[in-house]
Amino acid sequence: MHVLRQTHTPRWTLRALALLSAAMMFLIPWADNAAAHGSIVDPASRNYGCWDRWGDDHLNPAMAQEDPMCWQAWQDNPNAMWNWNGLYRNNVGGNHQGQVPNGQLCSGGQTEGGRYNSLDAVGPWKTTDVGANFSVHLYDQASHGADYFQIYVTRQGFDPASEPLGWDDLQLVEETGSYAPSQNISVDVSAPGRSGHHVVFTIWQASHMDQVYYLCSDVNFN
């Protein structure tokens, strides 16, 4: 997994810069916002994955059959993908479960005026293959750093394709200390005893202010 991540990083970094530059050239109103924050890029968060696969081809009707969950997300609000790095809540005060209700975890409690609501949709989201031991890789464009990460994985028996995600469906598999500001942070996790489609739910408490990112990544334990 580490070798794949190291060889993949320059491609998505350069692609991110290229598409963000293109967005600014076309005076897209949310381009400045999109350049400011971060997300989990491996295993890809739901909206980063949709942007990575379809950002330069998002009007292609083939998406409806090939990637139906991304299709519904693009139809609901394209800004969720263009702002793949802006899914956060401010002033949470550590009360994650109080701020983010069951069924709304992947949208951060319908944050940002509901921009990310499509990420809570139940269905066959595209997955990243992982083993029992894998790494969660944050790309932090603004180098906010982290007070901590809390990384959860759904329990065996939960079906993301047919059930909304709730707190009781998650098991905490890693809680970290602080990380110094950096654009690339990887956290090693272990989630044995699982097979098939699961959700990795990452809470990233940024260090620059009380700003928390809630990020769902779909994985396939093989």
Side-chain angles (χ1 to χ4, degrees):
M1 293 296 292
H2 291 289
V3 173
L4 290 174
R5 189 165 295 107
Q6 289 169 356
T7 57
H8 183 60
T9 298
R11 183 186 70 82
W12 56 254
T13 301
L14 291 174
R15 187 177 179 202
L17 293 173
L19 284 180
L20 288 170
S21 297
M24 293 177 71
M25 288 176 60
F26 284 98
L27 301 179
I28 296 173
W30 20 259
D32 290 341
N33 219 17
H37 304 292
S39 189
I40 300 301
V41 297
D42 189 10
S45 63
R46 287 181 172 178
N47 56 333
Y48 174 80
C50 290
W51 175 83
D52 188 44
R53 292 190 295 275
W54 298 99
D56 55 2
D57 196 23
H58 64 281
L59 299 178
N60 188 341
M63 190 196 323
Q65 297 299 319
E66 297 176 14
D67 201 345
M69 301 312 294
C70 283
W71 173 257
Q72 64 84 30
W74 280 102
Q75 304 314 300
D76 179 66
N77 194 333
N79 286 353
M81 275 60 67
W82 297 125
N83 284 284
W84 55 264
N85 44 18
L87 203 171
Y88 61 84
R89 296 186 71 88
N90 290 325
N91 304 314
V92 173
N95 184 21
H96 305 298
Q97 295 193 33
Q99 292 283 329
V100 181
N102 288 330
Q104 299 179 14
L105 275 67
C106 298
S107 67
Q110 299 185 349
T111 192
E112 293 295 299
R115 176 191 296 161
Y116 301 99
N117 288 4
S118 62
L119 306 185
D120 290 320
V122 173
W125 290 91
K126 293 285 188 181
T127 61
T128 300
D129 287 341
V130 298
N133 301 302
F134 61 99
S135 295
V136 173
H137 183 188
L138 171 75
Y139 179 47
D140 176 6
Q141 286 178 298
S143 298
H144 290 320
D147 287 348
Y148 60 82
F149 291 92
Q150 293 177 353
I151 301 175
Y152 298 78
V153 180
T154 49
R155 303 177 188 278
Q156 186 65 23
F158 174 77
D159 181 11
S162 63
E163 304 172 63
L165 182 63
W167 290 100
D168 288 346
D169 301 313
L170 297 169
Q171 179 184 5
L172 181 66
V173 297
E174 185 64 38
E175 186 167 13
T176 76
S178 62
Y179 285 78
S182 172
Q183 287 196 330
N184 293 282
I185 297 174
S186 288
V187 180
D188 293 332
V189 300
S190 180
R194 290 169 171 83
S195 61
H197 184 181
H198 283 265
V199 177
V200 178
F201 181 64
T202 301
I203 297 175
W204 164 32
Q205 174 71 60
S207 294
H208 68 301
M209 61 182 292
D210 186 1
Q211 187 173 87
V212 189
Y213 295 74
Y214 299 99
L215 306 165
C216 284
S217 303
D218 291 270
V219 298
N220 177 56
F221 285 92
N222 53 31

